[in-house]
Amino acid sequence: MNQIVSIGTSHHVAPVEFREKLAFSEEQLIESLHHLRESHKVDEAVILSTCNRVEVYGVAHSQRTTESPFKVLLDFLSNYHRISVDTLKKWSYRHHNLDAIQHLFRVTSSLDSMVVGESQILGQVKDAFDFSRSAGGAGAILNRLFAKAFSVGKRIRSETTIAAGAVSISYAAVELAKKIFNTLEDKTVAIIGAGEMSELTAKHLVANGVSKVIVANRTYERAVKIAEKFKGIPIAYEENLNFLIDADIVISSTDAPHYLIERKPLAEIMRKRKHRYMFLIDIAVPRDIEPDVSKINHAFLYNIDDLEAVVASNLKERQQEAVRAEQIVSEEAKRFHDQLQILEVNPTIKALHQQFQQIAECELKACLGKTTLSDTQEDAVASMTQAIVKKLLHHPVENLRHAVNDGNADHGQYVHALQELFALDNNDDKDQA
Amino acid sequence: MSTELLHFLFLVTVLVYLAASIFQALYLAIGERSETPTLRPRIASIAFWGTCLGFVLLTLFIALWWSREGHFPMKHWTDSTAFFAWAITLIYLIVVRVTQLRAIGSLVIPGAFITILISYSFSRNTSALPENLETYWLVPHITLIFLAYAAFFTAFGFGLLYLMAEKKIRQKTNMLFHNLFPSLGASDELGYRCTILGVILLTIGMIVGVLLTQYIKNLTWRWLDSQIFFTVVTWVIYVVQISIRQLWGWRGRKAAYSEIVGFIAVLCTYIGVNLFLDSTHTFR
């Protein structure tokens, strides 16, 4: 029977030192896929190579029973990257059939990712698959398998909240802004001080529609330098915080030892901006914004701990959701596995039907040639032959399907026996394509 | 159509409203639970289409009752509360159509259910209007005023939504992202727009009411009719609220509170005056 195997390594089992040795560049991918195909030891292959994982999926069609596809892939990887088979075995996982299917589904559903529910992996697998397909690696079975894996990935995302809720500080800030403002389109963000986190948050806000960026710094030169990144407006501030009148979102991350924004002056600023909402994010330690600011009407203050609590609870929730997602993945993998097996016996069933049909037609022709029957009589004889063919085949076909559905591992033997006994010329590669 | 059949239609309408209210309330209530992403759209669509069905039935019932009575049925409590429920649902449907924000239904549709239940609890008797009030001017007058009340009720709903959502943001609840509350800005803005809509409808409704007096014979007209007095007070409250917002930027929490205060004034006008004071406008 067809075998689906996968061998791979990821951040779960191997350190980066090993993963980088196993990684493929684009040229290497083309070369490897060609090599694998030319070797005629596996029939289909897809290679996935990202910074967190390298995985090779292979399919060996039923005719090949000589060499284990695992061994083929292991040998190939070991030769290609000049790593001993033992080392490879130590730092990798190997999955077979149902397990391989389930593993791929887990990967595309981002259940196997470092951050569960992250959104990039689905695109990465898609790219890898498209690449392998255009390089001639993927065939009928892997096409089906990956198409299903993508739909499972999407299903998990829509039916669970595994990908909901921001799991980084900067996204949490964007999500919060969306809960406060009707729209971000005409809003202004002010960054006070410098820092990677505040710049990242500003970047996400701009990507979500914020139209204006004010960059405030103690020195004008630094403000200009940071402002360049966002096409922002540089401002040098001393004690005067009047630029906040225009700011709807304020991100503060200075290294000032005291509060930069205090309640009273901010209340005055809020009055000047006609009490439009202001969302203040204090990611500085020690804090830049007096906590009492949150008592001002329409001013919403979140500090670094608040944001981290949001992130932590979202992460926790994703993990809870992951349990449900795993269930869906198991069900889908089982179903796909069964379908694949039914698909495997279909060509045999078809060939059997064809053979019986042919014999029936042949004999019918011979018989009708010898007799003179009316049209209605001829029709009756023809439908009788059809009925006989149908009834003869009913039990063998049904039992074969049952053997597959019940997960009876012997169905391969059944297929083999049928092919031998009825001398079927079974070419299932063609039929499945 | 026989009276029994009409009563039965009304009972069905009440039950449909009950079911729709339950699903509407569920929609907002389960928003914070994580295991509901597939359930949520189903609940949302049952709530919405249930409300639509209820609205169609209620419209049908009012129309049939009207044609049976032969005049605009607006003398008794049972008539006016049913009509109020109808107006609330109409405004809700318009808001959903325009904004796609369904959360407001969780508050206003149960409100509509309660009004329609009040209507159901009164015995529905045929009641003739005083002959001198049988004029077609009465229809736009009452319709406009009730639509205005419904708009104020919706603004009240948005005020509540605002306060609930703001509380969550200030408390820094962890489940913040799951809830289906509109953003603060959206609740605030929509509450304001509903208030403006209400004021416009109320103003036109009052003008029509004044015109109405010209067509009524033998009207014992009193300018200090208590209903008129309280309606004017309500009108002033809302106009002041809008002006303050324009002048001093009273938004958000203050706007939400004033929407709530405004609606309490509406309730006083509608229920209080009818129950305790004497007026040409009484539904009894």
Side-chain angles (χ1 to χ4, degrees):
Chain A
M1 291 280 91
N2 290 339
Q3 294 187 66
I4 301 175
V5 297
S6 75
I7 170 165
T9 184
S10 74
H11 57 280
H12 288 304
V13 296
V16 63
E17 291 79 14
F18 179 75
R19 299 203 307 270
E20 67 191 6
K21 271 187 212 155
L22 218 58
F24 288 86
S25 69
E26 279 202 0
E27 296 83 54
Q28 287 178 320
L29 273 179
I30 300 179
E31 196 186 32
S32 317
L33 288 166
H34 271 280
H35 177 82
L36 272 172
R37 212 178 38 167
E38 295 300 309
S39 74
H40 291 291
K41 284 176 182 162
V42 288
D43 297 276
E44 299 179 29
V46 167
I47 301 177
L48 167 67
S49 178
T50 73
C51 54
N52 279 333
R53 67 181 68 244
V54 178
E55 291 181 345
V56 185
Y57 290 84
V59 172
H61 291 175
S62 25
Q63 300 92 327
R64 289 178 227 287
T65 41
T66 45
E67 204 172 355
S68 144
F70 278 127
K71 191 171 176 314
V72 175
L73 294 185
L74 270 174
D75 286 346
F76 158 73
L77 283 173
S78 138
N79 288 335
Y80 194 85
H81 289 298
R82 301 184 197 293
I83 304 169
S84 79
V85 172
D86 286 338
T87 322
L88 255 176
K89 277 186 173 168
K90 185 181 161 205
W91 295 115
S92 67
Y93 41 76
R94 290 164 295 283
H95 297 292
H96 187 245
N97 285 357
L98 181 59
D99 288 340
I101 296 168
Q102 185 158 348
H103 177 73
L104 178 64
F105 288 4
R106 291 188 74 242
V107 169
T108 50
S109 307
S110 81
L111 287 168
D112 202 49
S113 300
M114 202 179 263
V115 178
V116 169
E118 53 107 354
S119 56
Q120 286 180 343
I121 187 69
L122 193 57
Q124 286 171 337
V125 179
K126 260 185 189 153
D127 289 344
F129 171 68
D130 286 342
F131 197 86
S132 294
R133 189 169 53 177
S134 58
I141 293 183
L142 286 186
N143 277 340
R144 252 169 194 282
L145 175 65
F146 277 81
K148 188 68 197 172
F150 301 144
S151 82
V152 171
K154 279 182 204 146
R155 188 183 156 198
I156 299 280
R157 273 174 184 73
S158 67
E159 291 186 16
T160 70
T161 52
I162 190 174
V167 288
S168 71
I169 300 271
S170 50
Y171 274 112
V174 175
E175 293 283 309
L176 274 166
K178 283 184 184 166
K179 282 280 165 194
I180 294 170
F181 300 104
N182 192 359
T183 163
L184 295 181
E185 303 265 298
D186 50 355
K187 298 295 178 283
T188 300
V189 56
I191 316 174
I192 310 175
E196 207 177 318
M197 188 107 76
S198 53
E199 283 174 32
L200 194 61
T201 309
K203 211 174 97 189
H204 289 322
L205 284 168
V206 170
N208 278 277
V210 164
S211 55
K212 201 171 139 197
V213 183
I214 298 172
V215 179
N217 209 294
R218 286 227 175 260
T219 61
Y220 188 71
E221 289 71 32
R222 287 210 66 184
V224 171
K225 210 174 146 199
I226 301 167
E228 272 171 4
K229 295 180 197 167
F230 307 101
K231 297 195 180 92
I233 303 157
I235 281 177
Y237 70 90
E238 281 299 323
E239 296 306 315
N240 186 351
L241 293 175
N242 271 341
F243 63 91
L244 289 180
I245 293 171
D246 291 328
D248 302 294
I249 302 165
V250 179
I251 308 166
S252 194
S253 64
T254 73
D255 46 15
H258 53 81
Y259 291 142
L260 198 73
I261 300 174
E262 290 177 325
R263 183 177 172 177
K264 270 193 184 155
L266 190 72
E268 179 59 22
I269 283 167
M270 287 299 282
R271 200 183 57 78
K272 283 186 189 155
R273 56 184 265 112
K274 286 198 166 179
H275 302 283
R276 279 174 293 144
Y277 304 104
M278 189 187 274
F279 177 31
L280 300 115
I281 304 159
D282 187 356
I283 46 184
V285 179
R287 286 175 293 178
D288 282 345
I289 305 175
E290 185 183 359
D292 269 3
V293 156
S294 64
K295 290 185 182 142
I296 302 174
N297 213 353
H298 297 177
F300 301 93
L301 171 64
Y302 271 68
N303 65 31
I304 187 84
D305 279 5
D306 300 331
L307 290 171
E308 264 167 9
V310 168
V311 168
S313 101
N314 284 343
L315 274 174
K316 197 174 141 211
E317 204 219 315
R318 280 189 182 198
Q319 272 149 14
Q320 286 166 358
E321 282 296 283
V323 177
R324 289 200 320 124
E326 294 278 5
Q327 273 171 1
I328 297 177
V329 162
S330 302
E331 284 162 21
E332 290 276 11
K334 176 83 177 67
R335 196 176 309 152
F336 183 79
H337 186 244
D338 291 350
Q339 279 172 0
L340 214 57
Q341 290 194 321
I342 294 215
L343 223 61
E344 278 181 28
V345 299
N346 274 351
T348 307
I349 293 171
K350 205 170 155 192
L352 206 58
H353 268 288
Q354 265 172 358
Q355 194 185 57
F356 275 50
Q357 205 67 40
Q358 246 170 10
I359 295 171
E361 270 167 31
C362 197
E363 292 303 311
L364 186 67
K365 219 176 183 181
C367 164
L368 290 181
K370 283 183 221 150
T371 52
T372 48
L373 296 173
S374 71
D375 281 0
T376 38
Q377 285 168 327
E378 272 188 22
D379 284 351
V381 174
S383 49
M384 182 194 70
T385 18
Q386 284 298 318
I388 291 173
V389 167
K390 234 181 186 172
K391 289 202 167 149
L392 280 176
L393 282 173
H394 179 75
H395 283 301
V397 167
E398 278 306 297
N399 289 336
L400 184 58
R401 289 207 169 118
H402 278 310
V404 175
N405 283 338
D406 298 346
N408 188 340
D410 290 343
H411 72 266
Q413 288 179 2
Y414 280 13
V415 171
H416 191 69
L418 280 173
Q419 286 173 350
E420 289 282 310
L421 290 173
F422 289 95
L424 298 174
D425 182 21
N426 185 1
N427 196 345
D428 59 353
D429 291 351
K430 238 187 252 165
D431 285 321
Q432 280 182 9
Chain B
M1 199 175 228
S2 75
T3 317
E4 286 73 35
L5 218 57
L6 266 176
H7 279 281
F8 179 69
L9 174 62
F10 196 47
L11 175 64
V12 172
T13 312
V14 174
L15 292 176
V16 169
Y17 262 85
L18 170 64
S21 303
I22 290 171
F23 278 94
Q24 290 277 12
L26 267 180
Y27 174 67
L28 202 58
I30 66 157
E32 307 209 348
R33 301 188 64 85
S34 60
E35 59 274 19
T36 52
T38 42
L39 207 58
R40 197 184 286 166
R42 273 177 227 159
I43 290 177
S45 65
I46 294 174
F48 179 73
W49 292 108
T51 307
C52 290
L53 176 64
F55 183 68
V56 170
L57 291 174
L58 186 55
T59 312
L60 187 67
F61 171 75
I62 292 173
L64 289 173
W65 189 261
W66 189 339
S67 76
R68 188 176 167 281
E69 294 282 283
H71 60 82
F72 192 40
M74 199 44 72
K75 184 58 197 161
H76 193 264
W77 269 103
T78 184
D79 302 317
S80 80
T81 39
F83 196 65
F84 190 26
W86 181 85
I88 292 171
T89 320
L90 180 63
I91 296 283
Y92 160 78
L93 291 174
I94 293 170
V95 170
V96 170
R97 173 100 191 121
V98 173
T99 66
Q100 309 296 329
L101 284 177
R102 289 180 169 186
I104 188 66
S106 310
L107 298 176
V108 297
I109 297 305
F113 167 68
I114 291 169
T115 33
I116 200 173
L117 193 65
I118 292 171
S119 172
Y120 188 76
S121 66
F122 287 102
S123 61
R124 184 168 279 275
N125 295 318
T126 309
S127 55
L129 281 177
E131 227 168 74
N132 59 359
L133 283 178
E134 279 190 32
T135 157
Y136 281 110
W137 281 97
L138 193 63
V139 179
H141 172 58
I142 289 180
T143 308
L144 284 165
I145 300 245
F146 271 103
L147 283 174
Y149 285 177
F152 290 140
F153 181 53
T154 311
F156 163 81
F158 276 117
L160 285 183
L161 277 183
Y162 178 93
L163 293 176
M164 286 152 85
E166 196 203 3
K167 198 173 164 205
K168 283 177 191 297
I169 290 175
R170 291 224 187 261
Q171 280 177 341
K172 301 172 183 171
T173 357
N174 293 334
M175 302 300 275
L176 201 58
F177 300 119
H178 290 299
N179 69 52
L180 299 159
F181 287 97
S183 68
L184 295 184
S187 289
D188 182 49
E189 184 64 30
L190 289 169
Y192 179 57
R193 285 192 196 169
C194 286
T195 307
I196 289 192
L197 177 68
V199 168
I200 292 171
L201 292 170
L202 187 61
T203 311
I204 304 173
M206 283 159 73
I207 293 170
V208 172
V210 172
L211 291 177
L212 189 58
T213 60
Q214 307 302 311
Y215 291 86
I216 300 173
K217 292 164 207 142
N218 314 322
L219 183 71
T220 46
W221 176 252
R222 287 176 302 168
W223 274 105
L224 267 177
D225 179 298
S226 52
Q227 177 90 24
I228 294 173
F229 176 75
F230 276 98
T231 307
V232 171
V233 169
T234 308
W235 186 85
V236 168
I237 289 177
Y238 278 110
V239 169
V240 166
Q241 177 187 329
I242 291 172
S243 317
I244 291 180
R245 185 189 174 102
Q246 287 298 332
L247 289 174
W248 297 313
W250 266 34
R251 290 157 210 280
R253 205 189 305 173
K254 284 177 186 166
Y257 283 135
S258 57
E259 277 150 14
I260 291 168
V261 169
F263 186 66
I264 291 171
V266 169
L267 279 185
C268 291
T269 317
Y270 178 45
I271 301 174
V273 171
N274 272 301
L275 285 185
F276 304 113
L277 297 166
D278 203 27
S279 157
T280 328
H281 288 89
T282 319
F283 300 107
R284 268 181 200 162

